Every structure is written in structure tokens, then in C-alpha cells.
Amino acid sequence: YQWDELMQYTTTESVQGLCPAGWHIPGDGEWKTLEMALGMSQAEADLSNMWRGAGIGTSLKLGGSSGFDALLSGGLWGTGGSFLYLNSMTYFWTSTESGSNAWRRCLSATADNVGRWNTFPKTYGFSVRCVKN
């Protein structure tokens, strides 16, 4: 999803967006809470635009110990752009803006940690994981 579409054209953090009734799009802080519950320190969780949290990414991927079971679904680069990284990367939007971009999480087939980045435009197409209210 492009960020504006998944948010249903609002910038309210933790909004329902395209999630079903009773669910919402998690904000950056909610992702940090999940990461810390899996063993990441607050200092690591706060790091930006880098990979962090050794072992946490592995626990979030399909078959990992967390039960999150993220599929490496790739992403779409720009409106009408290329779909890339199927089976090697996955990207999840958060509902938290960062300037003209938004925060995302990244998982890789070749990394055991989690990326936290705010560098891609909202026109890119990434996955979203809804959270029950």
C-alpha cells in the first residue's frame, strides 16, 4: 500500500485506516514496544536509519519465535515503479510521519535484526500489519 491510501488520507497516528473495525495501523512507538518485548533495548529501539536488535528480525520472520510470521513480500518503488525484493526483504509502514516521509520497518532474509528507517517517500508501496485495539 502507498502510505496515504493505507492511512485513508489522514495523518493521525494509530488510525484505523484500511484496517478492519476494531483494529488500527501501529505507530512507530508501538513497533518499538514490540521490539523491546522481544529483547531489544530502549537505546537500540530509538536508533534510526539503521539495522538494530540482533536476533529480533529472525523472531519476527515466518517461523520465528514471536508468532508474528512476517513474509518477505518485497515492495513497490514509486507510483508505477518496480516491484522488488520478493522473498528477500519486507517492509512495513507505520502510521507515524517523519517530515514528508513515514517510518517503516524492514526485515531481510540475510539479516537477523530489524531496520527502522524514515527515508522513503510515501508513494512507495509496502505492507502493513494491523493491530487489534
Side-chain angles (χ1 to χ4, degrees):
Y1 299 95
Q2 292 180 328
W3 194 83
D4 287 333
E5 285 290 324
L6 79 96
M7 294 288 290
Q8 299 290 283
Y9 296 91
T10 183
T11 58
T12 305
E13 196 165 336
S14 299
V15 69
Q16 178 182 338
L18 57 63
C19 296
W23 295 71
H24 68 275
I25 301 164
D28 183 60
E30 289 174 284
W31 272 93
K32 287 181 187 181
T33 298
L34 170 63
E35 294 161 343
M36 290 184 292
L38 296 173
M40 192 181 293
S41 70
Q42 178 76 59
E44 280 183 295
D46 290 339
L47 294 173
S48 58
N49 299 318
M50 64 186 328
W51 294 92
R52 71 249 202 290
I56 306 302
T58 299
S59 71
L60 292 169
K61 289 183 269 190
L62 183 63
S65 60
S66 70
F68 190 85
D69 287 335
L71 300 174
L72 300 177
S73 58
L76 178 71
W77 268 245
T79 305
S82 298
F83 187 83
L84 302 171
Y85 304 118
L86 180 63
N87 297 320
S88 65
M89 297 284 295
T90 195
Y91 306 87
F92 290 98
W93 282 125
T94 76
S95 60
T96 306
E97 281 190 297
S98 179
S100 61
N101 299 331
W103 286 102
R104 70 183 185 281
R105 291 303 186 281
C106 312
L107 300 172
S108 170
T110 60
D112 73 345
N113 44 16
V114 182
R116 177 179 178 251
W117 305 84
N118 66 349
T119 56
F120 287 166
K122 297 174 188 175
T123 55
Y124 284 23
F126 296 145
S127 298
V128 64
R129 185 65 65 103
C130 298
V131 174
K132 194 167 186 174
N133 295 342

